[in-house]
């Protein structure tokens, strides 16, 4: 049995793994798992418009639950071996497939810089960027009403602080986070920062240094692959066409609101 990757490209960590595997020509079977699968969250009404996306059969959702003890994506299955968590999967792939050194350098200090960013990322960029999608798309979808503009402004202010630190502490005047070549740090960062872009919050506007870095990352992995991986998130507003089961709305709406507190 070959390598299987259980992914939903609406998920930032899933996109980083997908881009990494494709750009390094790692052979794998793409097991498409939909986080917003009809049987889980809702159904798209008949005749709804929007680009058609490949749909997962039940086996992919069930398979992901079996592969990951945490019952979430991303998840990896390599023969009898299974693995969850984005960073763990990325590091496993770098080691097993002996990918180019720049992704996770053998130089101990450069590798430490990648580790440093990955540690900082979760409490800063990842703590703010995904909330834009929840505020502008998902919570209105579940509650049936938009959130106050102040809530988005609060999240954007926190994200702006993180972006300032990102530029001054990590990017500085370098082409990429640890120097002249792309690393796992850049990949994990860019997929997260595309989440606000998908809901109309262009965080790259008026940030020329950040915009140039994004352009270099796109070129490093290949523009076609980059935009293929981000096609779903850049069309995220299509989720507004999904009809949510009323009981599920009642159950999840307060949970989602609590996530933003």
């Amino acid at each position: 049995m070959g390598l299987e990757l259980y992914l939903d490209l609406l998920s930032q960590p899933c996109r980083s793994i997908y881009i990494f595997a494709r750009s390094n020509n790692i052979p794998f079977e793409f097991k498409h798992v939909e986080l917003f699968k009809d049987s889980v969250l809702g159904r798209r009404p008949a005749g709804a418009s929007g680009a058609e996306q490949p749909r997962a059969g039940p086996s992919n959702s069930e398979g992901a639950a079996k592969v990951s003890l945490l019952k979430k994506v991303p998840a990896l299955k390599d023969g009898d071996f299974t693995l969850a968590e984005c960073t763990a999967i990325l590091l496993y792939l770098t080691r097993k497939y002996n990918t180019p050194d720049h992704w996770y350098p053998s130089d101990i200090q450069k590798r430490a810089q990648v580790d440093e960013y990955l540690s900082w990322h979760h409490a800063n960029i990842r703590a703010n960027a995904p909330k834009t999608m929840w505020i502008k798309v998902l919570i209105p979808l579940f509650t049936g009403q938009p959130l106050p503009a102040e809530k988005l402004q609060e999240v954007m202010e926190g994200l702006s602080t993180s972006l300032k630190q990102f530029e001054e502490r990590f990017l500085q005047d370098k082409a990429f986070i640890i120097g002249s070549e792309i690393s796992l740090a850049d990949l994990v960062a860019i997929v997260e920062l595309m989440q606000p872009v998908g809901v109309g919050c262009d965080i790259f506007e008026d940030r020329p240094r950040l915009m140039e870095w994004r352009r270099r990352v796109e070129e490093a992995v290949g523009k076609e692959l980059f935009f293929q991986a981000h096609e779903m998130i850049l069309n995220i507003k299509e989720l507004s066409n999904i009809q949510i089961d009323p009981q599920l709305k009642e159950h999840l709406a307060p949970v989602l609101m609590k996530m933003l507190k």
Side-chain angles (χ1 to χ4, degrees), residues 238-251:
E238 290 182 10
L239 280 179
S240 62
N241 293 323
I242 291 179
Q243 296 176 342
I244 305 298
D245 181 88
Q247 290 184 335
L248 194 60
K249 276 188 177 183
E250 185 179 356
H251 174 69

Side-chain angles (χ1 to χ4, degrees), residues 36 41-42 134 137-145 244-246 248-253 256:
F36 293 91
L41 292 184
W134 289 100
V137 177
L138 298 181
I139 289 179
L141 179 66
F142 278 91
T143 64
Q145 56 187 4
I244 305 298
D245 181 88
L248 194 60
K249 276 188 177 183
E250 185 179 356
H251 174 69
L252 286 182
L256 296 176

Side-chain angles (χ1 to χ4, degrees), residues 2 39 41 43 51 63 66 75 178 187 214 254:
S39 61
L41 292 184
R43 64 185 187 279
K66 292 177 181 178
I178 65 166
L187 187 54
R214 171 184 164 177

Side-chain angles (χ1 to χ4, degrees), residues 33-46:
V33 179
E34 294 183 80
L35 296 177
F36 293 91
K37 195 170 182 293
D38 290 358
S39 61
V40 179
L41 292 184
R43 64 185 187 279
R44 186 182 301 275

Side-chain angles (χ1 to χ4, degrees), residues 55-67:
R55 305 194 66 77
S59 61
N60 288 348
S61 296
E62 294 169 4
K66 292 177 181 178
V67 167

Side-chain angles (χ1 to χ4, degrees), residues 197-246:
V197 174
V199 295
C201 301
D202 191 351
I203 57 171
F204 296 97
E205 188 177 8
D206 299 326
R207 291 187 174 93
R209 177 165 49 174
L210 197 66
M211 187 64 193
E212 282 300 302
W213 165 77
R214 171 184 164 177
R215 180 187 59 78
R216 288 190 291 268
V217 172
E218 290 176 7
E219 292 177 350
V221 301
K223 283 182 176 289
E224 182 178 355
L225 172 60
F226 183 86
F227 285 103
Q228 178 197 7
H230 287 92
E231 181 179 2
M232 292 179 70
I233 190 63
L234 293 176
N235 291 283
I236 187 65
K237 291 183 179 179
E238 290 182 10
L239 280 179
S240 62
N241 293 323
I242 291 179
Q243 296 176 342
I244 305 298
D245 181 88

